[in-house]
Amino acid sequence: MTHDPNCLFCRIVRGEIPAVQVFEDEDTIAFMDIFPASEGHALVIPKLHAANLLEMPDDALTAVHRSARRLAAAMMRGLGPAGFQIRQFNGAEAGQTVFHYHVHVVPCYPGARPGLHGRDQADPAVLAGLAGRIRAAL
Ligand code: 5GP
Ligand code: ZN
């Protein structure tokens, strides 16, 4: 399936739900997580629908991880964290809540190890500012 009309991230791909985008290319979109685990937490998704790692075609998997590395490099330059985590969950019991494959890129700052998911919904204006700083460092 290339698109699932009931899937939240497919709806972001089609522009039916707004997201604070950092960049997109032919196969992927990078955008800010709305419940960030740390300042600058962003997601990379394939434009095609695949529920999890086991459903991902090889070329889409390569494209997502290439974009995740590009995002992480710009995040390091633009936001200046001390490091970053790549997270990816498969199945509800593993902590997956959106069943469209995605990779989390979570910046880590000194003295503040980020938790699993953020508790508070971020202000879109704050997310736009962070996305702009990352984008400027692409
Ligand atoms: P999972 O637990 O499935 O790996 O993570 C799903 C992520 O998607 C969570 O970090 C959550 O905050 C994020 N998320 C859920 N709904 C939305 C949304 O509507 N917009 C954005 N930008 N992120 C979302
Ligand atoms: Zn989807």
Side-chain angles (χ1 to χ4, degrees), residues 32 36-42 75 79 81 105-109 114 126-127 130 133-134:
M32 305 309 291
S38 72
E39 189 178 79
H41 177 181
M75 200 179 263
L79 304 183
V105 184
V106 183
C108 301
Y109 301 93
V126 171
L127 293 184
L130 290 163
R133 287 166 59 196
I134 300 170

Side-chain angles (χ1 to χ4, degrees), residues 47-102:
K47 288 185 176 177
L48 59 75
H49 180 81
N52 56 44
L53 177 63
L54 300 180
E55 291 191 3
M56 278 291 280
D58 286 354
D59 51 354
L61 193 61
T62 300
V64 166
H65 284 264
R66 193 186 296 124
S67 289
R69 184 172 58 183
R70 181 178 179 217
L71 174 64
M75 200 179 263
M76 292 298 286
R77 288 190 291 266
L79 304 183
F84 63 90
Q85 297 173 341
I86 296 290
R87 300 177 178 173
Q88 197 275 308
F89 305 106
N90 299 276
E93 291 302 321
Q96 186 176 11
T97 59
V98 179
F99 296 91
H100 178 127
Y101 184 77
H102 55 279

Side-chain angles (χ1 to χ4, degrees), residues 16-36:
E16 294 168 6
I17 290 177
V20 178
Q21 194 171 301
V22 181
F23 65 83
E24 72 176 304
D25 61 19
E26 196 177 335
D27 302 311
T28 69
I29 303 182
F31 57 94
M32 305 309 291
D33 195 295
I34 208 166
F35 289 96

